Amino acid sequence: MRSGNPSLKKEAFENFDTLGSGETMTIGGTVNKTFILLLLVLATFIYSWNQFVTNPGSVLPLILIGAIGGLIVALITIFVPKVAPFTAPLYALLQGLFLGAISAQYEAQYGGIVFQAVLLTIAVLFSLLLVYKSGLIKVTQNFRIGVVAATGAIFLVYIISFIGGFFGFQVPYIHESSPIGIAISVVIVIIAALNLVLDFDFIENAAGNRVPKYFEWYGAFGLLVTLIWLYLEILRLLSKLRNR
């Protein structure tokens, strides 16, 4: 069992005694925690969005705090899952700051794009959940390896692009609205969406392994990471289509 999402991996729970006493993780509990995290994202999202509307120049600190703070908190959560009940809500609040400001910037350029991106993200989430539960997609070892490899390749390209930006170098096509650039974004959206299937599989298996209760927060955190990535990629894809 391995998810393309680095926060949801087998090593996070494989050493626990599955026959231990005490409260254990459940799928229902993880779903509830996911909704809580989404509400926290929404709260700071609205705040950051309104700050942009009031004074566009004031949101840069919010973007930096949300992005850098979110990365630090995410790394802590990944390496120390036991703190997830505290760090997962903090991560959600920080990402809301980042997403609200970024989304408002996109909305200023392309009216209605944020609403479309949110709807598409929700549609993809529930569609893939239905497909996963129906068994139409089998999470085989080869499927996992393929999605994990593709996800790793995408993030490697993003890192190269980010570092290259400081030296005037850009990876061809990924930021362009050309047909190739749009096709690349479509592929990235598909890979991000397939990570949801791996996340569902991880959560189901973790619950089946009767891991400690705090893993509900950890599972919800991992799912939120994928949803945020998917939303941002859909937003980028829609903006490229608008530019055409």
Side-chain angles (χ1 to χ4, degrees):
M1 294 171 294
R2 181 177 293 274
S3 169
N5 184 333
S7 66
L8 297 183
K9 55 186 185 296
K10 183 176 75 171
E11 289 83 356
F13 64 83
E14 65 181 355
N15 294 323
F16 285 100
D17 179 7
T18 58
L19 298 177
S21 58
E23 288 190 293
T24 58
M25 174 184 179
T26 65
I27 294 176
T30 306
V31 171
N32 292 337
K33 303 307 191 292
T34 302
F35 277 116
I36 292 173
L37 295 184
L38 289 173
L39 287 175
L40 293 175
V41 169
L42 181 61
T44 49
F45 181 102
I46 292 173
Y47 169 78
S48 186
W49 178 292
N50 288 336
Q51 288 296 110
F52 179 86
V53 172
T54 303
N55 181 11
S58 68
V59 297
L60 180 58
L62 297 180
I63 293 175
L64 294 176
I65 291 171
I68 298 174
L71 176 60
I72 293 172
V73 172
L75 291 174
I76 293 172
T77 309
I78 291 169
F79 288 106
V80 191
K82 187 172 290 187
V83 302
F86 309 101
T87 55
L90 179 57
Y91 173 81
L93 291 170
L94 289 167
Q95 288 299 284
L97 291 177
F98 171 74
L99 291 176
I102 294 295
S103 298
Q105 291 177 348
Y106 272 97
E107 185 70 18
Q109 289 183 275
Y110 315 98
I113 192 172
V114 171
F115 181 68
Q116 293 172 352
V118 170
L119 282 185
L120 285 171
T121 302
I122 294 173
V124 170
L125 170 64
F126 284 103
S127 295
L128 285 179
L129 180 59
L130 180 62
V131 168
Y132 172 74
K133 295 303 292 183
S134 67
L136 293 177
I137 292 182
K138 300 294 184 181
V139 185
T140 63
Q141 186 63 19
N142 287 336
F143 179 86
R144 294 188 188 98
I145 292 173
V147 175
V148 169
T151 302
I154 290 169
F155 279 103
L156 178 61
V157 171
Y158 278 168
I159 291 172
I160 293 173
S161 177
F162 176 76
I163 296 175
F166 293 104
F167 302 97
F169 168 76
Q170 288 290 339
V171 177
Y173 303 117
I174 65 170
H175 300 298
E176 299 177 7
S177 299
S178 64
I180 295 177
I182 291 173
I184 290 173
S185 281
V186 170
V187 171
I188 293 175
V189 167
I190 291 173
I191 297 302
L194 290 178
N195 269 273
L196 287 174
V197 177
L198 297 190
D199 294 345
F200 298 150
D201 183 67
F202 173 91
I203 292 170
E204 185 173 61
N205 281 286
N209 276 271
R210 298 180 60 192
V211 298
K213 189 71 172 177
Y214 65 79
F215 264 84
E216 291 178 351
W217 285 106
Y218 186 75
F221 157 76
L223 189 55
L224 183 65
V225 170
T226 302
L227 284 173
I228 289 173
W229 178 35
L230 177 62
Y231 166 75
L232 288 173
E233 294 299 345
I234 290 176
L235 202 57
R236 282 166 51 83
L237 173 59
L238 291 176
S239 69
K240 289 183 178 182
L241 293 173
R242 291 283 191 95
N243 283 335
R244 297 289 295 176

